[in-house]
Amino acid sequence: MANILRGNDLRNLGFPEGRAIGLALAQLQRKHLKKLSQTDQLALLGQLIANPNDYLTHLDWSHTAAALLPPPNRHISLVERKDYAVFGAEHIDPSAIHQMETAMKLPVTVAGALMPDAHHGYGLPIGGVLATDNAVIPYAVGVDIGCRMALSVFDLPPKYLTQRTQELRSLLLENTRFGSGRSWERGQRLDHAVLDRPEFQEIPFLRNKLDKAAEQVGTSGSGNHFVEFGIVEITEAENELGVPVGQYLGVLSHSGSRGLGAGIAERYTKLAKDVCQLPGEAQHLAWLGLDTEAGQEYWAAMTLAGDYASACHEQIHRRLAKALGEKPLAKVENHHNFAWKERLADGREVITHRKGATPAGAGVLGIIPGSMTAPGFIVRGRGVAASLASASHGAGRLMSRTRAKAELGEGQVRKYLADYGIELIGGGLDEAPQAYKDIRAVMTSQRELVDVLGSFTPKIVRMDGA
């Protein structure tokens, strides 16, 4: 009992009356802290009360540290809305416009743009691009940090898809894993250099995330994530892929950072909301300053999650290439749900958040998918300043998931897929092609943002589900 500290012990250290004392005493009951001597406990709490900012992202003490900070500077008002560019406004629902309008009122906002596939999200709309001054907004990055598209082009003819449909279907079942929490079975996991990154040990929050990350690397989540075989058609002879005009077999994947990215997003969004208290309509846009320890720590964790997402795709494509017995002629990969340090046309350095938007800098390659029954497009960015060098990341949702499940029937969707010759493994009504906008109309709305080099037409699709 000698090790148990009381409220008066903390008051003697300088703890103020209120929530911080209760939080600190509760933390000291955790097994690894309870083992400390009373002297060590007091020394630890002394460091905490002296420098609470240093503990804002600590695995044990972040909430106590936040409670020790004075509240006045944490309440932040919105300012007059800044102008921003909208591409394909006729395709965008009013709620997404409203969310973008709110984001443009943040005092840290410098510039913004809205892509034609935009729809309602949390905080920043999906399809929103936001440039800020020395601040990163976890929910403007998104929950699935570093989510991306990756395309491999193989020197195999399109008829391979019709002649060997069942074989390719089996390859997808054997070489991919889908679903929330899903991992590779023991003995089938592949190692990757990203798992050796020092951030897993240097960032306290990530220390217990490595084992799960190792289990899930090379897998895909639920929702709109997919891996599919289809037909790549290169239409422009002058292309950076080095692939001649013609048709080829392709593998396209859409996946992200799995449980690792979701945990990082949840952790640092809560922290941002605590230290940056905004009005209700803007609360999901709380930010962390990059001149703070918390901001730097989130940036490092976000970067790790983005590299982890890339590792997932690398393993998916490596497994399928090996199963096919082929090496890809070319690969295209681009990501969204991320933040970049960039410079605007006027030379200002900003943090550019692309939540469901594709980087489209001058000469930058990307792949913008359509739906299961519509082609995606291989593109080269034009670096248009008004769009913050961005383009759409897909067709964008026409129906919410709830509406799609309510209005569409299983038989109706299966017939629709069959009419287009689509072989679907898994999937749900919320991901039916009818739930998505017309990708051709979206591409028309952003023809000034990208050049089209070719297309990808899905044929055999794997998603989460039975």
Side-chain angles (χ1 to χ4, degrees):
M1 299 293 290
N3 285 2
I4 296 178
L5 295 180
R6 310 271 180 199
N8 281 338
D9 298 316
L10 274 65
R11 293 183 186 93
N12 291 336
L13 284 176
F15 272 69
E17 287 291 346
R19 183 164 170 259
I21 291 177
L23 289 170
L25 291 175
Q27 278 301 108
L28 290 175
Q29 293 306 304
R30 296 185 65 180
K31 187 175 181 180
H32 66 289
L33 294 172
K34 204 171 182 179
K35 292 178 181 179
L36 297 176
S37 68
Q38 190 177 85
T39 300
D40 288 341
Q41 289 180 356
L42 288 169
L44 176 59
L45 293 175
Q47 293 172 2
L48 177 63
I49 188 67
N51 298 290
N53 281 300
D54 292 346
Y55 289 84
L56 283 174
T57 56
H58 195 281
L59 191 60
D60 294 322
W61 297 107
S62 61
H63 293 296
T64 308
L68 287 169
L69 292 174
N73 293 333
R74 293 154 58 195
H75 294 274
I76 298 170
S77 300
L78 301 181
V79 299
E80 184 177 351
R81 178 185 63 80
K82 297 178 177 66
D83 292 332
Y84 63 100
V86 181
F87 297 87
E90 66 275 18
H91 307 304
I92 302 173
D93 61 86
S95 65
I97 296 285
H98 177 73
Q99 285 187 310
M100 195 68 201
E101 297 271 316
T102 301
M104 297 307 296
K105 295 177 183 177
L106 298 177
V108 293
T109 292
V110 176
L114 200 55
M115 301 299 105
D117 64 334
H119 55 94
H120 190 86
Y122 287 98
L124 196 65
I126 312 300
V129 185
L130 191 71
T132 58
D133 179 18
N134 199 43
V136 63
I137 304 171
Y139 255 19
V141 168
V143 174
D144 194 5
I145 298 171
C147 186
R148 64 193 60 220
M149 309 292 176
L151 173 69
S152 289
V153 183
F154 294 95
D155 193 12
L156 292 169
K159 64 182 180 181
Y160 198 93
L161 286 158
T162 53
Q163 292 174 344
R164 307 177 80 162
T165 301
Q166 291 309 309
E167 179 183 338
L168 294 176
R169 177 188 171 96
S170 295
L171 291 186
L172 285 177
L173 285 167
E174 293 164 5
N175 293 282
T176 63
R177 294 291 183 272
F178 280 84
S180 178
R182 187 71 189 275
S183 304
W184 274 103
E185 298 80 2
R186 291 188 181 278
Q188 293 186 292
R189 296 169 189 165
L190 301 177
D191 198 12
H192 196 284
V194 74
L195 300 172
D196 298 324
R197 290 274 287 270
E199 292 95 323
F200 280 111
Q201 301 305 321
E202 293 172 353
I203 299 175
F205 174 68
L206 297 180
R207 287 176 189 162
N208 63 350
K209 303 297 181 184
L210 180 57
D211 288 346
K212 192 64 175 179
E215 293 173 7
Q216 291 194 322
V217 68
T219 66
S220 303
S222 55
N224 62 355
H225 292 148
F226 59 77
V227 181
E228 52 197 21
F229 284 112
I231 300 170
V232 173
E233 182 171 11
I234 301 299
T235 54
E236 286 294 320
E238 296 295 324
N239 66 76
E240 290 82 353
L241 296 170
V243 177
V245 168
Q247 292 188 331
Y248 306 85
L249 176 74
V251 172
L252 180 63
S253 56
H254 175 213
S255 191
S257 50
R258 308 294 279 120
L260 176 65
I264 292 169
E266 180 182 8
R267 168 74 172 180
Y268 290 93
T269 294
K270 286 181 178 178
L271 180 59
K273 286 182 177 180
D274 202 26
V275 299
C276 173
Q277 295 179 1
L278 290 161
E281 70 272 24
Q283 62 178 324
H284 292 310
L285 294 168
W287 66 83
L288 297 168
L290 284 181
D291 55 357
T292 68
E293 183 181 4
Q296 285 295 315
E297 192 169 285
Y298 171 77
W299 191 268
M302 177 197 73
T303 302
L304 174 66
D307 292 342
Y308 178 82
S310 184
C312 287
H313 285 269
E314 190 273 329
Q315 290 198 357
I316 290 167
H317 286 250
R318 192 202 317 174
R319 289 176 187 270
L320 288 171
K322 183 179 179 181
L324 286 169
E326 296 283 333
K327 290 185 177 181
L329 294 173
K331 296 181 77 173
V332 180
E333 181 177 334
N334 61 264
H335 56 305
H336 48 268
N337 290 4
F338 208 69
W340 290 257
K341 291 180 181 178
E342 297 180 339
R343 289 196 179 275
L344 299 180
D346 61 10
R348 283 181 293 175
E349 185 178 89
V350 294
I351 305 303
T352 304
H353 304 72
R354 293 185 177 91
K355 189 177 186 183
T358 298
V364 174
L365 297 186
I367 173 79
I368 301 175
S371 68
M372 282 183 262
T373 56
F377 294 91
I378 303 167
V379 299
R380 179 201 299 124
R382 291 186 172 184
V384 174
S387 72
L388 299 178
S390 307
S392 81
H393 82 313
R397 296 196 72 91
L398 183 62
M399 300 182 186
S400 69
R401 295 184 184 279
T402 302
R403 181 183 162 198
K405 290 177 180 178
E407 295 186 12
L408 301 175
E410 186 74 29
Q412 173 192 3
V413 172
R414 291 291 170 182
K415 183 180 184 304
Y416 192 83
L417 293 171
D419 289 345
Y420 281 87
I422 303 301
E423 180 84 11
L424 175 61
I425 308 165
L429 294 177
D430 54 336
E431 287 303 321
Q434 299 99 310
Y436 284 85
K437 299 177 186 179
D438 180 353
I439 185 62
R440 292 177 178 85
V442 168
M443 294 303 294
T444 297
S445 297
Q446 59 183 359
R447 57 182 176 269
E448 68 187 273
L449 307 182
V450 294
D451 296 314
V452 175
L453 306 180
S455 63
F456 173 86
T457 303
K459 289 299 178 184
I460 307 171
V461 181
R462 173 89 199 270
M463 304 185 80
D464 185 30

